[in-house]
Each structure stands twice: as C-alpha cells, then as structure tokens.
Amino acid sequence: MSSLTIIGNWKMNTTPSTARILAAEIRDRLRTDGETDTLVVLCPPAIALESVSGALNGSGIAVGVQNIYPSTSGAFTGEVSPQMARELAEFVIVGHSERRELFGESDEFVGRKVAAASEAGLRPILCVGESLDIRRSGHAERFVSDQLLEGVSRLDNASGLIVAYEPVWAIGTGESATPEITQMMLATLRHALVSRFGEQAASVPHLYGGSVNADNIRDLVRQPDIDGALIGGASLSAESFAAIVKNAAEICA
Ligand code: PGA
C-alpha cells in the first residue's frame, strides 16, 4: 500500500457544536469503512478544536489548525500561537491562498510560520499554487517552486513537512486541475525539495487541493507523485468526505 494523506479544511464553517457533530459523523463513517492505513486530518476553525478533538479521540483521525501566528506568546490580539495549537492539534495549514490574498501574507511571513510550526512540533501543511494569469503566462512551475522554497527557507530539514499544491483557479470553482498538470507540478516540487534538503525529502507527502470530489480523486491519486488531497468544500459533508477517503484508499491499496 502506498501512503495516502487526506486532509479536510473546513475554513470558516461550522460552530463548536456543529463541528463536533460533523467530526463524529466522519469518524463513524470511516470506522465502518475501516480506512486505517490512510492518514486523515480534519482542520476545523480554531474555536472548535477542543470539541472536534473530543469527538475524534481514539479514532485515529488527526486534528489540524488552519492558521497560527509565528510567535510563542505576547501582545498579538486575536492570534493563536503554535504552542497553543499544539495542545490540541498535530498539523497546521500554512500559506493557504486565501490567507495570502485576503490577509496579505507574503512568502517571507509564510516561511516564518512554517519554521515556528516546526519548532513547536506542529507538522506544517505548506500550501502553494499559481493564479490563472501566472498559469497562462507559462511560468507556473517556476512561480510555485519559488513559493515552496521560500516557505521552507528557514527549515534545516523537511521532517514532518507536507506540501499541498492548490492552484488558485481550482479552489472552490468546481474546476479541478487535471491529474496530468498536477502530476507534472508535484514532480517538479518534489525535485525542488530534494535539491534543497537531500534524498530524505523525497518521502514528503505531496497533496493536491482544488475542487476535489469523490469522483476526481481516483484519477488524481493514480498519479505517482500525488500522495493525497487537501479538501475544502467536500470536507463539509461527512458523506462526501468519507467517500473521497474510501475511493482514494481503494486506488492506493
Ligand atoms: P475546495 O478548497 O476543495 O473547496 O476547492 C480546497 C482548499 O481551499 O483547500
């Protein structure tokens, strides 16, 4: 069985109580399906972390946060430090295109977050991806490789890292990137990571994100360099999220 990672990003959806219900539904569906060899991670809003961790306790499903601030503690009103998140979560999404676009996060800031997450023992899920304009310009691979290398620039090694390629034009649009485009991009990114950190980086999970559903997941994970997916919209339904995990696991078995 090749390793498979499926991550749900709930974004700013659910409340602490509805998050608990959704997590419990996903837990129950995956328990029935017996998908034990797949790494499954749910990333609820920070305010729902405790209720979701409680619902997932003992299930084998891990929890992640959607964001952190790269400082241990201090006068940063409204922010969550990696150390705070680490008590309830093992993973953190960093550099999502919504944070880059809506909150002005630069590559440099993303790199600080990745380093702060690693130092605190959180596994960073580093998101990278190009806009439609950049894809049309023909420079997508160079642009995304640069984003990746900036994101990891403060790390000494790639241990614990997860890379998620999420083309901006495919997020929430219903139009996912083709398996071929994604395969090419992820092979390029894996190569860039190995050049930076050496052979140990070859085993870093490389995921695809952007309009993944229970149908298109099959052809995506058939590609040699696509190790799983980061799922937004379809992770808000226990039925579709569990179907994605199940269909992907069947292909990778
Ligand atoms: P989507 O979002 O699955 O709704 O396209 C993916 C993401 O933003 O992580």
Side-chain angles (χ1 to χ4, degrees), residues 9 11 96 166 170-172 210-211 230-233:
N9 172 13
K11 307 193 179 181
H96 192 282
E166 300 207 309
I171 295 178
S211 300
L230 177 55
I231 323 253

Side-chain angles (χ1 to χ4, degrees), residues 24-124:
E25 272 177 28
I26 290 173
R27 174 200 67 203
D28 291 346
R29 282 178 185 269
L30 293 183
R31 187 186 287 148
T32 325
D33 294 332
E35 249 48 82
T36 48
D37 290 334
T38 303
L39 172 62
V40 179
V41 184
L42 297 181
C43 302
I47 201 164
L49 275 177
E50 192 146 20
S51 62
V52 167
S53 313
L56 297 179
N57 197 14
S59 68
I61 301 174
V63 178
V65 268
Q66 297 175 15
N67 186 33
I68 44 155
Y69 189 81
S71 221
T72 310
S73 61
F76 301 103
T77 300
E79 295 297 316
V80 171
S81 79
Q83 288 72 16
M84 294 170 187
R86 184 64 192 95
E87 282 199 8
L88 293 167
E90 286 175 66
F91 296 82
V92 57
I93 298 171
V94 179
H96 192 282
S97 63
E98 286 152 17
R99 297 224 49 100
R100 293 177 191 265
E101 276 180 23
L102 302 172
F103 303 97
E105 293 191 3
S106 65
D107 284 339
E108 196 269 338
F109 192 53
V110 169
R112 283 172 52 203
K113 288 187 179 197
V114 168
S118 267
E119 275 159 32
L122 280 172
R123 290 186 64 184

Side-chain angles (χ1 to χ4, degrees), residues 39-223:
L39 172 62
V40 179
V41 184
L42 297 181
C43 302
I47 201 164
L49 275 177
E50 192 146 20
S51 62
V52 167
S53 313
L56 297 179
N57 197 14
S59 68
I61 301 174
V63 178
V65 268
Q66 297 175 15
N67 186 33
I68 44 155
Y69 189 81
S71 221
T72 310
S73 61
F76 301 103
T77 300
E79 295 297 316
V80 171
S81 79
Q83 288 72 16
M84 294 170 187
R86 184 64 192 95
E87 282 199 8
L88 293 167
E90 286 175 66
F91 296 82
V92 57
I93 298 171
V94 179
H96 192 282
S97 63
E98 286 152 17
R99 297 224 49 100
R100 293 177 191 265
E101 276 180 23
L102 302 172
F103 303 97
E105 293 191 3
S106 65
D107 284 339
E108 196 269 338
F109 192 53
V110 169
R112 283 172 52 203
K113 288 187 179 197
V114 168
S118 267
E119 275 159 32
L122 280 172
R123 290 186 64 184
I125 303 157
L126 172 55
C127 300
V128 291
E130 81 286 0
S131 65
L132 196 53
D133 280 352
I134 292 172
R135 172 135 302 266
R136 287 188 176 137
S137 76
H139 298 123
E141 302 217 348
R142 199 175 68 213
F143 177 86
V144 179
S145 302
D146 286 350
Q147 267 187 337
L148 174 64
L149 292 174
E150 281 276 341
V152 300
S153 61
R154 291 164 188 256
L155 296 182
D156 296 331
N157 59 65
S159 154
L161 181 69
I162 295 179
V163 174
Y165 168 54
E166 300 207 309
V168 178
W169 46 271
I171 295 178
T173 59
E175 191 200 326
S176 78
T178 63
E180 293 73 25
I181 285 182
T182 308
Q183 164 59 29
M184 251 168 23
M185 182 64 84
L186 289 185
T188 302
L189 297 183
R190 200 183 296 277
H191 183 76
L193 266 195
V194 168
S195 304
R196 167 77 169 77
F197 294 113
E199 232 0 88
Q200 60 100 211
S203 60
V204 166
H206 281 63
L207 315 183
Y208 167 75
S211 300
V212 172
N213 58 43
D215 292 327
N216 61 23
I217 188 69
R218 290 193 182 88
D219 286 339
L220 287 162
V221 296
R222 275 197 182 101
Q223 300 291 329

